[in-house]
Amino acid sequence: MSDFDAFLEIRRHAAEAYVNGHAGPLGVMAATACPASFFPPRGGHEEGAEWVANIYARDAEVFCEGGETRLEILHSDSVGDLAYWTGLQHATVRMAGKPEPVEMHLRITELFRREDGGWKLVHRHADPLAQAGA
C-alpha cells in the first residue's frame, strides 16, 4: 500500500466529518500554498489557497450532525509529489433549515501535492451526478 493509498483513508474520514458540519479535518489537508482551486457543486470556481480553505469551512456550516457519505473511488494514483483520485461521492446529509435528509450524488476529481511532507488538496471538482441522457 502506498502512502497515498493510506492517505485516502484519512480523506474518507474527512469527508464523513464534513457532511456532519465539521470542516476541520478537510482544513488540515487543504493546500496552504498556491495554486489551489475548487469547482463547487453549485457551479462557478474559486481560486487561491487561503480563499478555497475559507470556502470549504463556510460551506460545511450548512451541514448538521447525522450525515453520512461514501467515496466510490474509480481510480487513483500518485507519481512523485502529485496524486489524484476520481469517482463518485454518495451522501445523505442533514442541512440547516431542511426537515428531511437530502441525498447527494456527486462526480468528484481531487488533485493533491506534497506540502511539508504530507498530501494537500490543491483542486476539487465536484458536480451533481446526472443520469446519462438526461
Side-chain angles (χ1 to χ4, degrees):
M1 176 183 287
S2 73
D3 71 325
F4 185 66
D5 291 329
F7 170 78
L8 284 175
E9 284 306 307
I10 295 167
R11 178 65 187 98
R12 289 177 198 273
H13 292 292
E16 191 73 31
Y18 195 85
V19 301
N20 282 281
H22 307 293
L26 183 62
V28 168
M29 67 181 55
T32 58
C34 290
S37 53
F38 176 37
F39 295 173
R42 66 186 174 281
H45 69 281
E46 307 294 345
E47 294 184 77
E50 186 175 348
W51 180 252
V52 167
N54 288 335
I55 296 295
Y56 291 151
R58 181 200 71 199
D59 288 356
E61 293 175 2
V62 303
F63 298 110
C64 304
E65 289 290 337
E68 56 184 42
T69 192
R70 178 175 59 87
L71 302 181
E72 182 181 342
I73 297 174
L74 300 178
H75 52 90
S76 66
D77 201 3
S78 63
V79 177
D81 290 340
L82 296 174
Y84 77 94
W85 78 269
T86 188
L88 306 171
Q89 182 172 5
H90 306 283
T92 302
V93 298
R94 311 270 323 165
M95 299 182 83
K98 295 193 183 263
E100 297 299 320
V102 175
E103 284 202 30
M104 299 173 67
H105 302 279
L106 304 171
R107 299 183 313 166
I108 305 293
T109 300
E110 290 186 343
L111 306 175
F112 300 85
R113 74 169 168 256
R114 279 193 212 278
E115 282 183 16
D116 301 322
W119 291 110
K120 298 293 182 174
L121 178 60
V122 297
H123 177 73
R124 175 176 167 87
H125 183 160
D127 62 10
L129 176 65
Q131 294 300 321

